[in-house]
């Protein structure tokens, strides 16, 4: 009898989340250090304001779309744990999409179970959603976008993309590989006998094909429709808190980014804002180059983009790692990395964070001044992440999402 099946993986994943949810309720009630993320209380307070006819932005530090506050109003009138249940459901939806994507890429049921377990049975992932982080909602939208485009359902993918970018701005980075992959070649148009000059002209014109136009128009319409609706209700407060804040954000609290200390030391200086804006330059370049380089394998392009985006971001917290963890199970099957090297990569990733958390513990709980060592540890995480990304790219086989079952289409990443 085969134990590792998709059904068993999902059963185990759901039970894991239920157990962690129940344990979290116990810890919140009996321990000084709470299990629930502070952001969950922010969400609930914002939902309460909305439920009472006010603005979610009456709650300081609420920097999200009002849709999230509306979604979580049952936290107020039904039960405070409602939002966590929504996040767990989105977690499971991501797991289901992983299985669908792997099956569409011609992997066996057993391999679908193995790789989906990287998400469903991952205690780190389950911890994020059961503590009350909303990242699984965005992850579900992102995975659905990629899957719908893989299935050549452009209209659905476009609607979901507009929604994903409205929920959280970072998925806009996927516009690069998505637009590149929506070529006439991938969507059924055949090449004709032409001269070189005609082929060149057609290639330029083909950039403005019906598939790209459809994706752009629909996704932009959904995005702007949602924003206009939110603006009509909440005015410039919505724009400032949801979008402008994240562009000019200066986070004085320590986080995994090596940018935090320079920004902290110059917090009240104009230099701090400039430093925050300059940090976008290497991040944007890395994300754009990776998106174009691996566009034929939409999932690998999205994974490398997200990994680089998080690594180079001026603010980085533990929740952000979920953004690329949800894509990892659908790209790992095409890695040529052996067990030893994979273990080394995972070990470096874990060790770099452990060293940082050691210094953070001394600062937060022991009251020691470890700011400089925190910066060193953050720089170590940055170097480690760049090394990890280089190792992953060097060992990856790039497989077109439209030819995933054909081994002849597999090529090594350059």
């Amino acid at each position: 009898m085969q134990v590792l099946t998709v059904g068993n993986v999902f059963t185990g994943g759901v039970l894991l989340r239920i157990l962690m949810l129940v344990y979290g309720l116990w810890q919140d009630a009996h321990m000084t250090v709470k299990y629930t993320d502070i952001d969950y209380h922010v969400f609930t307070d914002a939902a309460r304001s909305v439920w009472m006819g006010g603005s979610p932005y009456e709650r300081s530090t609420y920097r999200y779309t009002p849709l999230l506050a509306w979604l979580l109003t049952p936290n107020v009138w039904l039960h405070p744990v409602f939002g966590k249940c929504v996040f767990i459901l989105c977690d499971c939806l991501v797991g289901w999409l992983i299985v669908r994507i792997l099956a569409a890429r011609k992997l066996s049921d057993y391999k679908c179970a193995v790789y989906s377990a990287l998400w469903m049975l991952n205690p780190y992932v389950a911890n994020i959603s059961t503590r009350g982080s909303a990242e699984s909602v965005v992850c579900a939208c992102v995975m659905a976008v990629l899957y719908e485009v893989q299935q050549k359902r452009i209209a659905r993918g476009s609607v979901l993309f507009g929604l994903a970018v409205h929920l959280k701005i970072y998925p806009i980075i996927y516009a690069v590989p998505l637009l590149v992959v929506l070529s006439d070649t991938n969507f059924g148009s055949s090449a004709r006998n032409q001269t070189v000059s005609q082929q060149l002209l057609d290639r330029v014109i083909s950039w403005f094909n019906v598939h790209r136009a459809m994706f752009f128009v629909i996704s932009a319409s959904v995005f702007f429709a949602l924003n206009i609706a939110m603006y009509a209700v909440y005015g410039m407060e919505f724009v400032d808190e949801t979008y402008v804040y994240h562009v000019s954000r200066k986070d004085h609290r320590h986080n995994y980014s090596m940018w935090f200390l320079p920004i902290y030391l110059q917090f009240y200086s104009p230099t701090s804002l400039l430093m925050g804006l300059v940090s976008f330059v290497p991040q944007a370049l890395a994300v754009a180059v990776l998106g174009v380089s691996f566009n034929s394998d939409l999932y690998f392009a999205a994974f490398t983009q997200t990994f680089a985006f998080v690594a180079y971001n001026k603010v980085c917290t533990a929740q952000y790692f979920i953004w690329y963890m949800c894509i990892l199970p659908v790209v790992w099957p095409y890695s040529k990395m052996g067990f030893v090297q994979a273990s080394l990569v995972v070990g470096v990733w874990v060790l770099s964070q452990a060293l940082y958390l050691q210094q953070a513990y001394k600062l937060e709980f022991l009251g020691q001044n470890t700011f400089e060592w925190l910066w060193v540890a953050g720089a170590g995480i940055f170097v480690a992440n760049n090394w990890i990304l280089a190792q992953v790219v060097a060992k990856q086989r790039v497989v077109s999402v439209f030819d995933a079952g054909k081994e002849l289409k597999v090529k090594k990443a350059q």
Side-chain angles (χ1 to χ4, degrees):
M1 179 180 177
Q2 187 170 315
V3 176
L4 194 58
T5 64
V6 171
N8 288 344
V9 166
F10 270 74
T11 300
V14 171
L15 288 175
L16 173 64
R17 284 159 176 79
I18 292 174
L19 288 173
M20 294 183 77
L21 178 64
V22 172
Y23 168 78
L25 295 174
W26 177 87
Q27 181 175 325
D28 286 344
H30 295 90
M31 298 181 68
T32 303
V33 178
K34 305 303 181 184
Y35 183 84
T36 299
D37 195 312
I38 186 63
D39 283 347
Y40 190 71
H41 297 298
V42 173
F43 299 155
T44 301
D45 290 344
R48 184 176 293 107
S49 295
V50 169
W51 181 247
M52 297 179 68
S55 166
Y57 303 110
E58 292 173 6
R59 175 50 159 101
S60 61
T61 73
Y62 185 82
R63 318 288 188 185
Y64 314 92
T65 170
L67 283 183
L68 183 60
W70 294 355
L71 176 66
L72 299 186
T73 51
N75 278 16
V76 180
W77 56 265
L78 182 60
H79 196 282
V81 83
F82 173 83
K84 291 186 179 183
C85 293
V86 171
F87 302 154
I88 289 172
L89 285 173
C90 288
D91 245 3
C92 295
L93 176 58
V94 171
W96 179 80
L97 286 165
I98 288 170
V99 172
R100 297 291 296 175
I101 290 165
L102 291 172
R105 304 195 89 181
K106 312 300 183 185
L107 269 70
S108 66
D109 291 343
Y110 175 74
K111 288 186 176 180
C112 288
V114 170
Y115 290 110
S116 63
L118 293 173
W119 177 266
M120 289 300 300
L121 300 182
N122 190 331
Y124 185 92
V125 172
N127 173 260
I128 295 295
S129 58
T130 55
R131 289 186 67 222
S133 172
E135 304 307 324
S136 61
V137 178
V138 183
C139 289
C141 285
V142 167
M143 295 300 286
V145 170
L146 301 178
Y147 176 65
E148 292 298 335
V149 172
Q150 177 189 1
Q151 296 300 306
K152 299 187 177 182
R153 296 191 284 255
I154 301 176
R156 290 187 194 176
S158 304
V159 171
L160 289 166
F161 185 70
L163 174 61
V165 178
H166 173 78
L167 290 173
K168 218 172 189 84
I169 197 67
Y170 89 87
I172 194 68
I173 66 178
Y174 306 131
V176 175
L178 282 167
L179 288 172
V180 174
V181 84
L182 292 174
S183 65
D184 287 334
T185 303
N186 289 329
F187 281 78
S189 297
S190 58
R192 296 169 293 171
N193 293 325
Q194 297 174 309
T195 64
V196 174
S197 60
Q198 288 174 326
Q199 291 177 358
L200 181 60
L201 179 61
D202 273 7
R203 181 170 295 184
V204 173
I205 295 174
S206 69
W207 268 98
F208 304 95
N209 64 26
V210 65
H211 314 298
R212 291 181 177 124
M214 179 188 299
F215 181 85
F216 175 80
V217 170
I218 296 177
S219 59
S221 297
V222 171
F223 174 75
F224 284 111
L226 289 170
N227 284 333
I228 290 170
M230 297 301 105
Y231 179 81
V233 179
Y234 301 108
M236 277 304 298
E237 189 177 35
F238 155 69
V239 178
D240 290 338
E241 299 293 345
T242 306
Y243 298 116
V244 176
Y245 167 79
H246 294 284
V247 175
S248 59
R249 181 178 184 180
K250 299 188 299 181
D251 203 320
H252 66 285
R253 299 301 298 272
H254 68 83
N255 61 83
Y256 290 108
S257 173
M258 68 175 186
W259 288 97
F260 101 88
L261 185 58
I263 291 176
Y264 172 77
L265 294 175
Q266 302 290 329
F267 192 76
Y268 293 105
S269 167
T271 307
S272 179
L273 178 59
L274 178 62
M275 198 178 302
L277 295 175
V278 168
S279 69
F280 284 120
V281 176
Q283 182 185 41
L285 287 174
V287 166
V289 169
L290 290 167
V292 172
S293 299
F294 303 118
N295 69 84
S296 62
D297 188 341
L298 192 54
Y299 296 107
F300 188 60
F303 174 79
T304 56
Q305 281 187 300
T306 313
F307 196 94
F309 182 89
V310 173
Y312 282 75
N313 205 33
K314 64 181 177 180
V315 177
C316 180
T317 65
Q319 292 96 318
Y320 293 4
F321 303 148
I322 298 298
W323 297 352
Y324 57 77
M325 281 186 177
C326 67
I327 311 174
L328 178 62
V330 299
V331 301
W332 196 318
Y334 300 96
S335 176
K336 293 165 56 177
M337 195 177 291
F339 176 78
V340 174
Q341 188 174 6
S343 299
L344 178 61
V345 165
V346 173
V348 168
W349 188 82
V350 172
L351 180 61
S352 64
Q353 292 179 58
L355 293 174
Y356 179 92
L357 291 173
Q358 179 192 36
Q359 299 302 317
Y361 174 80
K362 291 180 179 179
L363 175 67
E364 291 285 343
F365 293 96
L366 303 182
Q368 299 179 12
N369 184 354
T370 61
F371 277 101
E372 291 182 356
W373 283 111
L374 270 174
W375 181 84
V376 171
I381 289 177
F382 179 76
V383 172
N385 281 336
N386 277 276
W387 178 82
I388 290 169
L389 184 58
Q391 301 307 305
V392 170
V393 168
K395 292 296 183 178
Q396 187 70 13
R397 296 176 298 168
V398 177
V399 184
S400 170
V401 291
F402 304 114
D403 296 302
K406 302 177 183 178
E407 287 296 317
L408 292 178
K409 294 292 184 181
V410 175
K411 63 178 181 179
K412 185 179 178 182
Q414 299 298 319

